[in-house]
Structures are given as structure tokens and as C-alpha cells.
Amino acid sequence: MHFARCATPALAALTLLALSACGDAVATTDTLDPSSTTTDGSSTEPGTTDAPTTGAPTTTSDTEDGTASDGDSTTTGEPTTGTTTTSDDSSTTTPPGHLPECGNGMVEDEEECDDGDNNGGDKICLADCVLNVCGDGHQGPGEGCDDGNTADRDGCSAACVSELCGDGVVQAGLGEACDDGNTDPDDGCSAACLLEACGDGVVQVGLGETCDDGNTDPDDGCSATCVLESCGDGVLTMELGETCDDGNTVSEDGCSDTCAIEACGDGVVQAGLGETCDDGNTDADDGCGPTCETEACGDGVVQAGEDCDDGNVVANDGCSPTCEVEVLSLCGPGQLSLLVNEGFESGALAPWTTNGGVTVTMNPHDGVWAAQATDNWHIQQTFAATPVAQLVSANFWTWHDAADNPAMYVEWGYADNTTGNTLYFNEQLSGWVLHDILPLLDPNKSLVRLQVWGYNGGQALPDITRFDSFRLCRNP
């Protein structure tokens, strides 16, 4: 090997200190015997070894006295011995006389790597002979990304793996609120990794939603559970105009097919509710009654213009087919009755007036009907003034339960606005009893009114009074 001349014999002893001054390579030289000499470019070597040294051979340059010339190197001075630090990997050692160069395929000096032409930004070894590692901003082999840091949840993980919606990891830094490992919608976590829930303004059919108006308010067409609110869903939604919701859209069951309450007086005939008419009100005596049943003679209800209504249109039963009282006198042959409907066979009380009486078919004295009431009440009928002297009878029948300690008050009125009365007690009131008041009437006056009161304040039994078969009869 050829060495450049860089020292005089006088500096031979300093060669160990000047290795860096003459090239970078470590030279290996023979250990010289003190008797060896070098002349004319040849040497006499009594003995040699192969041991490397750390010193470089001392050389002399051409001088004026011709000590050395023509580029020949002459070793002078004391021989040096030592150990040279070397590496078994020739790729990490700069050869003698060679300057380090990135890209030559050899790892030299401060280089971390050198793959020659394979260096580059996307390679294992970068163009500046530095290893391509996660976080250096260069996406190398095996990296899914490299954003220049090793922070998680910013789109590229600490292991340089791309962080994406659907990877099963919630990246809050990417705006994710959930990540269920897929990008399917309608499963609680959207394709953009946002939580899906009622009120988010997106209809998730997979979550059972049929609507989503962006809130969870009820009564606005979309319920708090994101189900469409409509007539027939069984939920009363007044904001939709519903006044009822019975879970169906069937009419004539109390709640119409538009979720409006069906009732008598709404102007719609609901046959399913038993209505036969509906005139938009619940007034009586206008052809359609308070229960939306057609008002007519024979319905059992005395309407305006009717004298009676016994629930049928049969003649000769006290109430005619036109609901007029049939005078079926209880008086004897050739006698006239001051009263009308004296046996209540019309099925109604009219023309009697009352403050609580009704007609019943339970236990009448005769015929089919009787009048009855409970507690303190009365029946009364007025008629044309008739001289008491013309009367042939003035009596009637009553029924009481003597066990209830009953009492009864009877009053009559005269044409001169005076009255008379009598009182009956329990010993006179047991079952059906005939009461004759003719002897109690003033024969000098004219009779215009008869009034009979029931009673109250008895024992534990109901205070019931029944009346039947009144006879106020006179001759023609």
C-alpha cells in the first residue's frame, strides 16, 4: 500500500499523535528489528509479525539533500508497536483515504443506515442516512401513516397506524363520540362515529325510529321515543287536535276515526252509541232528546205537546196513540171525574205535578200503574172549580210499610184560596188502604186542588209511598 509522505525522520516519534493529520485510515506495518535498514526502496527484515498497530508509518518527503526522492517512502526512527481498533463489519469502517458519503451503501461515521440507491423518504433508510422511524413525518414501509409525532387520537396512532372511524377505538380528537368497529348506520353509532339516538334529527330505522324531529318532545307529531304520533296510537296528542285516542281509528265507539270525542250533541249520529238522532245539542222537546234518541209519542218520555207517554201507541190504556190522556174514569156509570189520569194508566204522571214522584208497575192497587216516590214528596192536580155539594166521592188508595212507622199529609184547596188538610199516622197506613176525605170537605165551598204528601223520618226501611185509584166524582 502506498502512503503519502507527510513527516520527516525527526517527527517519527510523534506519529502516534498525528494519525488524524495524514489521512483517516489506520495503517498496519511490520515490527522492525533495530538492525533493519531500508535503502533504495528495499528492506532487510530479520523477522516480521502480522500484528496491526495504531500508528501510521513515518514517511519523509523529498528534501534538497536527497535523503528521499522519487516518491519513495523511508521508515525512520524507532519502530512503534500498538493495537489498532478495527471492526469486523467493513461497512462501518471508512477505508483509508476515503471521505464518508451518504448513499454509497456503507454505514459510515454518524450514519444510522445506508442502503445506497434504496435510500429515500418512503424507505427503511432516509435520504440523509437516518433510519425511517414512526413519528419522523416520513411514512416508511409497514407504516399506515406518519404525522411527525407519536401521539394517539389525532388520526395517526403512536404506532403509526391510521386511526379511522370503524377501527373500534374512539378518537375524541377526531370528533368521534363512539366507534363500534364498523361504519354501519342505524346501529347506535353512525357511519361518522357519532352516537345515534332519538332526537339527533336522523331517522334510525334500525333503532326502531319512525321519525326524528331533532328533539324528544312529545305532542309535536314525533314522540319522545321517535315514533310517529298519530290518531289511533293510543296516546292522546292534544297538539295534533286530538280530544281522545282509543288506540284505533274506528268511529262510533266513543272516539272517532279522527280522534274526536263522540257524544250526544256533537251533531253526528253514532249508531254504535245507541243514537238515533243528533241535532248538535242535548235539549229536550226539540225532536231529538238529551240522549240523542228521537223524541216521539210512545218513547216513554213526555215531551212538549204530549199529555202523556206510556211507552207505546196503544189505545184505550189511559194514553192514546197520539199521547193524549184518555179519560178512563174510575167513577161509576153516569158520573164524571174531576181528575185526569186518576189511575196513572197513561204510564206517566201528567197532568199530575210532582216534586219527585214517578210511575211504577210494581204492586199497583189496580190496573198496571201506580205513582211512587221516596222520602218527602207530593203529587198534585188542579181542576175546574167544582162545588163540594155536587161530589159523590172523594177517596184514593195508598200503600205504606207499617214497620217503617209511616205518616202522610193530605191537603186540598178551595176556589176562595182557603185550604183544608188531614194527617195520617202509621196505625192508619199499613199496606194498601182506602182514604175517604169527602166527609172532611166543606160542603159550602168549591174544590179546585188536591195534594198528597209522602213522608220521611221513618225507621231503617225506605220511606216509600205509593198512590193509586183516585176518585173525585160528581154527577153530571
Side-chain angles (χ1 to χ4, degrees):
M1 181 176 292
H2 179 75
F3 290 93
R5 290 170 301 193
C6 63
T8 64
L11 299 178
L14 300 177
T15 55
L16 290 175
L17 300 176
L19 291 176
S20 61
C22 184
D24 293 329
V26 178
T28 303
T29 181
D30 296 334
T31 301
L32 301 178
D33 186 271
S35 60
S36 300
T37 60
T38 302
T39 59
D40 300 326
S42 62
S43 64
T44 302
E45 301 179 3
T48 63
T49 67
D50 293 330
T53 66
T54 59
T58 302
T59 60
T60 59
S61 59
D62 294 337
T63 64
E64 294 178 355
D65 58 3
T67 304
S69 61
D70 300 326
D72 295 330
S73 297
T74 303
T75 302
T76 62
E78 294 296 324
T80 61
T81 62
T83 302
T84 300
T85 302
T86 62
S87 172
D88 292 336
D89 185 355
S90 62
S91 65
T92 61
T93 302
T94 303
H98 174 76
L99 294 176
E101 179 183 358
C102 179
N104 61 5
M106 295 185 295
V107 178
E108 302 169 312
D109 289 347
E110 301 300 325
E111 295 178 350
E112 296 180 2
C113 60
D114 194 326
D115 290 337
D117 292 340
N118 286 325
N119 290 351
D122 59 349
K123 306 298 183 180
I124 295 177
C125 190
L126 298 176
D128 55 356
C129 289
V130 176
L131 286 171
N132 192 337
V133 296
C134 179
D136 61 7
H138 299 280
Q139 184 176 340
E143 295 181 346
C145 59
D146 197 318
D147 55 0
N149 64 63
T150 54
D152 285 317
R153 302 188 179 184
D154 60 357
C156 188
S157 74
C160 286
V161 176
S162 293
E163 296 172 314
L164 303 171
C165 176
D167 59 11
V169 179
V170 178
Q171 279 87 226
L174 300 181
E176 295 182 356
C178 61
D179 197 315
D180 55 1
N182 63 64
T183 55
D184 299 331
D186 294 342
D187 60 358
C189 188
S190 73
C193 286
L194 299 175
L195 286 170
E196 297 173 313
C198 177
D200 60 11
V202 180
V203 178
Q204 280 87 223
V205 178
L207 299 181
E209 295 181 356
T210 56
C211 62
D212 197 315
D213 55 0
N215 64 65
T216 54
D217 300 331
D219 299 338
D220 60 358
C222 188
S223 75
T225 58
C226 287
V227 176
L228 283 171
E229 296 172 313
S230 60
C231 176
D233 59 9
V235 179
L236 177 62
T237 309
M238 291 184 290
E239 283 72 7
L240 299 180
E242 296 181 356
T243 56
C244 63
D245 196 316
D246 56 0
N248 63 62
T249 53
V250 178
S251 294
E252 302 190 12
D253 61 356
C255 187
S256 74
D257 58 355
T258 59
C259 286
I261 293 175
E262 298 172 313
C264 178
D266 60 10
V268 180
V269 178
Q270 280 89 222
L273 300 180
E275 295 180 356
T276 57
C277 63
D278 197 317
D279 55 1
N281 63 64
T282 54
D283 299 334
D285 299 334
D286 61 357
C288 187
T291 59
C292 286
E293 295 179 292
T294 302
E295 295 174 316
C297 177
D299 59 11
V301 179
V302 178
Q303 281 100 29
E306 296 180 348
D307 293 331
C308 60
D309 197 316
D310 56 1
N312 62 63
V313 288
V314 178
N316 300 319
D317 60 357
C319 188
S320 73
T322 58
C323 287
E324 296 175 310
V325 173
E326 296 174 314
V327 180
L328 301 176
S329 177
L330 296 180
C331 298
Q335 296 178 350
L336 299 177
S337 176
L338 277 61
L339 303 172
V340 178
N341 196 27
E342 66 264 42
F344 309 103
E345 296 307 314
S346 67
L349 285 173
W352 295 89
T353 59
T354 181
N355 64 347
V358 295
T359 57
V360 296
T361 58
M362 182 183 299
N363 188 27
H365 173 258
D366 57 26
V368 176
W369 298 88
Q372 173 182 296
T374 303
D375 296 330
N376 196 25
W377 65 283
H378 70 268
I379 60 172
Q380 172 180 286
Q381 188 171 153
T382 58
F383 38 82
T386 302
V388 172
Q390 294 182 2
L391 297 180
V392 295
S393 61
N395 57 65
F396 55 92
W397 290 83
T398 64
W399 179 93
H400 298 85
D401 188 342
D404 198 31
N405 194 27
M408 182 177 69
Y409 174 77
V410 181
E411 181 181 283
W412 51 86
Y414 296 113
D416 62 359
N417 292 322
T418 60
T419 62
N421 60 78
T422 187
L423 185 64
Y424 297 91
F425 295 100
N426 64 322
E427 64 271 12
Q428 300 165 299
L429 303 170
S430 179
W432 282 107
V433 176
L434 178 65
H435 307 283
D436 187 3
I437 62 171
L438 184 59
L440 304 177
L441 302 177
D442 188 338
N444 299 313
K445 295 186 177 184
S446 294
L447 195 65
V448 296
R449 176 174 61 86
L450 179 64
Q451 183 183 68
V452 186
W453 286 82
Y455 74 102
N456 62 7
Q459 304 302 315
L461 297 176
D463 299 334
I464 295 176
T465 302
R466 293 194 183 97
F467 303 97
D468 203 357
S469 305
F470 281 83
R471 290 181 177 86
L472 288 181
C473 304
R474 67 178 178 88
N475 290 317

